[in-house]
Each structure stands twice: as structure tokens, then as C-alpha cells.
């Protein structure tokens, strides 16, 4: 009422249900990121109140960024209004987690590997919700993350990647020639790995 009486705008941005989680992940502050990842883990396990990613698709992009798999255009777009925030976010995630390094190490005492595992668990849990499957399948960065998981040396991460890929596979749309080649390469190397394991 006061804003209206002074001639100020009364059109307010309606925050989505996951606004605090998005802001915590964007902040790149360790305690805020831990909070957001823990809440996402709990919500992804909750059958009655499971996370609905369509309410804020940026959540997937930010979770993947904290695993070291980036969708550069979306990250820049989300933080473009805050150059300091962008620099802080990029420096933190780039320095704290490098996915390819995690694939080689992957020990249980490795905090970076554990963060990647947490995010893989969140995505796997969310992929059981029908409302989330299409969004995950349409997210190329998410598919890239899952393919990296499926090829890594850490067995638990590999299994999570394969499980999630299996859950979203039916919704993966037509791919470009380049992506078809990657999928064929993935399937052939996975088949060879399984044959070697069976021998």
C-alpha cells in the first residue's frame, strides 16, 4: 500500500520454491553449498514432496557445476548481473572440483569425489520421478555428466551414472551426428567393459 501511495512499482518477483537453494549454490560459500546439497539430497529422497525440477531448472545446472561439469552459457547468464559473484563462483568451482581428476582418485576420504557422488545420487533419485525425467534427458550437460560417471573407475559412481542413464534414456531426443557417434562409442565401450568383467 505504501509503495502504491508513493507511485512505486508493486510488481514483485515471485520467488520459486527453490530460490534459496539456487542462491546458496550461486554463492559458492562452502557452508552454503553444503547446506544446499544436503537439502537437495533429502528432498530427492522424499517420495511425497520430491523436488520438481521444472520449478527451477537452474538447480540442475548449478549442481552439475559444483561437480565440475559446466554449462558455461547458463552459468554466465545467471551471474551476469554480478561480476564479482561470477568471478567468485567460477574460481571456487574450478579450483575445488575437477571431475577428470576425481575419476582417477575417488577415495572415500576424498571430499571432492564425495561431492561428485552426492550430486550423482541426487540426480539418480530425481530420475525416478516422472516429472523430472524429461528435463534431465533434455539437459546436455546432465547427459555429459552421466556419461562421464558411466566411464569412471569408481564403481559406485559408474553404477549411479548407468542407473540414471537407464531411467532417462527413453526421453532422450534426436541427437546430432556428433552426439550419435558419442552414444555409439559409449555403448560399445560399455559392452566391452562388461565382457571383460564377465571373463
Amino acid at each position: 500500500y505504501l509503495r502504491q501511495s508513493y507511485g512505486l512499482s508493486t510488481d514483485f518477483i515471485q520467488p520459486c520454491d527453490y530460490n534459496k537453494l539456487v542462491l546458496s549454490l550461486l554463492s559458492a560459500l562452502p557452508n552454503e553449498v553444503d547446506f544446499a546439497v544436503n537439502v537437495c539430497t533429502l528432498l530427492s529422497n522424499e517420495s511425497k514432496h520430491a523436488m520438481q525440477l521444472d520449478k527451477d531448472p537452474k538447480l540442475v545446472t548449478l549442481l552439475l557445476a559444483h561437480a565440475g561439469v559446466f554449462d558455461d552459457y547458463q552459468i554466465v547468464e545467471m551471474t551476469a548481473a554480478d561480476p564479482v559473484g561470477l568471478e567468485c563462483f567460477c574460481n571456487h568451482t574450478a579450483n575445488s572440483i575437477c571431475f577428470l581428476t576425481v575419476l582417477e582418485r575417488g577415495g572415500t576420504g576424498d571430499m571432492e569425489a564425495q561431492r561428485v557422488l552426492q550430486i550423482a545420487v541426487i540426480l539418480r533419485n530425481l530420475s525416478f520421478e516422472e516429472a523430472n525425467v524429461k528435463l534431465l534427458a533434455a539437459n546436455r550437460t546432465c547427459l555429459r555428466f552421466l556419461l562421464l560417471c558411466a566411464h569412471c573407475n569408481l564403481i559406485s559412481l559408474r553404477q549411479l551414472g548407468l542407473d540414471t542413464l537407464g531411467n532417462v534414456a527413453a526421453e532422450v531426443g534426436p541427437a546430432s551426428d556428433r552426439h550419435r557417434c558419442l552414444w555409439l562409442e559409449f555403448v560399445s565401450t560399455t559392452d566391452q567393459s562388461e565382457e571383460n568383467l564377465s571373463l
Side-chain angles (χ1 to χ4, degrees):
Y1 171 77
L2 284 173
R3 290 182 65 84
Q4 191 175 21
S5 66
Y6 287 111
L8 299 173
S9 173
T10 54
D11 296 330
F12 299 108
I13 296 173
Q14 295 298 322
C16 73
D17 293 348
Y18 308 125
N19 194 49
K20 289 182 181 178
L21 294 176
V22 167
L23 292 175
S24 290
L25 290 169
L26 273 173
S27 76
L29 299 170
N31 60 330
E32 290 290 327
V33 173
D34 287 343
F35 161 77
V37 171
N38 289 336
V39 169
C40 288
T41 302
L42 290 171
L43 290 176
S44 71
N45 278 321
E46 181 61 50
S47 57
K48 290 183 180 178
H49 305 287
M51 290 175 68
Q52 301 298 315
L53 294 176
D54 58 342
K55 291 184 178 178
D56 201 333
K58 293 189 296 286
L59 203 52
V60 175
T61 299
L62 291 169
L63 284 169
L64 292 170
H66 282 284
V69 181
F70 298 91
D71 182 343
D72 298 326
Y73 297 112
Q74 286 191 24
I75 295 293
V76 170
E77 183 182 321
M78 281 186 278
T79 57
D82 180 10
V84 176
L86 174 60
E87 184 180 355
C88 177
F89 179 83
C90 291
N91 286 342
H92 173 76
T93 50
N95 291 334
S96 65
I97 297 175
C98 178
F99 193 100
L100 296 174
T101 308
V102 169
L103 300 189
E104 297 301 320
R105 298 189 320 248
T108 54
D110 189 329
M111 291 173 56
E112 293 169 350
Q114 292 307 309
R115 177 53 48 86
V116 173
L117 273 168
Q118 281 179 302
I119 291 166
V121 167
I122 291 168
L123 294 177
R124 195 277 312 267
N125 291 345
L126 292 174
S127 72
F128 286 106
E129 292 295 322
E130 193 175 334
N132 295 328
V133 171
K134 285 186 178 180
L135 192 143
L136 292 173
N139 188 319
R140 289 185 180 181
T141 309
C142 179
L143 293 177
R144 195 164 70 236
F145 171 78
L146 296 175
L147 288 169
L148 283 168
C149 289
H151 274 90
C152 84
N153 298 323
L154 189 57
I155 298 299
S156 54
L157 196 53
R158 180 185 299 177
Q159 192 59 52
L160 288 167
L162 291 171
D163 288 348
T164 312
L165 281 169
N167 290 344
V168 303
E171 295 294 336
V172 175
S176 65
D177 290 339
R178 179 173 167 273
H179 284 95
R180 271 195 287 274
C181 291
L182 288 172
W183 275 105
L184 288 171
E185 184 182 342
F186 165 70
V187 171
S188 64
T189 54
T190 304
D191 288 345
Q192 288 172 6
S193 299
E194 288 177 356
E195 285 175 15
N196 291 339
L197 286 173
S198 63
L199 295 175

